[in-house]
Amino acid sequence: MRLLDKLERKYGKYAIKGLMTYIFIGNLAVFILDYLMPSLNITGKLALIPYYISRGQIWRLVTYVFIPPRSSIIFIFFVLYFYYFIGNSLRAFGGVSDLMFTILWE
């Protein structure tokens, strides 16, 4: 654990506080946009595709997290609840620092 403590002291300022809230909101926004305007192909623009990453679209390294599973509206709410509940529970009860949670989730 000494290594983790050293990393936390050195890079802790880069941790994203409330990461699960951002992932929850991002997933919901992408689902709504994709549901209401499928012609925009939002999920295709956010997907983790190595060809496009090698061509300079490096935002895909992060934005693929916001792509929700394609299914019914009822299912997406269960998935979003699960993401939010499990993510915050792991963070709160596991004693995981914000930095380590950010690294592990990404």
Side-chain angles (χ1 to χ4, degrees):
M1 290 303 276
R2 298 191 89 187
L3 176 64
L4 294 179
D5 292 334
K6 288 179 184 178
L7 288 173
E8 179 66 31
R9 281 193 303 270
K10 188 172 182 179
Y11 299 109
K13 60 187 172 191
Y14 301 114
I16 301 171
K17 295 190 181 353
L19 178 65
M20 286 314 300
T21 304
Y22 296 126
I23 291 174
F24 175 87
I25 292 169
N27 272 280
L28 184 61
V30 169
F31 179 78
I32 290 171
L33 285 172
D34 204 30
Y35 187 77
L36 296 177
M37 297 178 275
S39 62
L40 291 178
N41 191 21
I42 297 292
T43 55
K45 294 174 182 166
L46 300 178
L48 185 63
I49 302 171
Y51 175 78
Y52 292 122
I53 293 169
S54 66
R55 299 294 185 262
Q57 297 181 10
I58 59 172
W59 66 82
R60 292 175 182 264
L61 293 171
V62 176
T63 58
Y64 76 93
V65 174
F66 299 116
I67 300 174
R70 294 186 178 190
S71 192
S72 69
I73 293 175
I74 301 284
F75 181 70
I76 192 67
F77 287 113
F78 284 117
V79 168
L80 291 177
Y81 175 74
F82 180 76
Y83 283 172
Y84 187 77
F85 178 73
I86 294 297
N88 285 330
S89 296
L90 287 174
R91 168 67 186 95
F93 297 118
V96 178
S97 68
D98 287 328
L99 174 67
M100 292 311 297
F101 187 74
T102 302
I103 292 170
L104 292 173
W105 193 263
E106 282 293 321

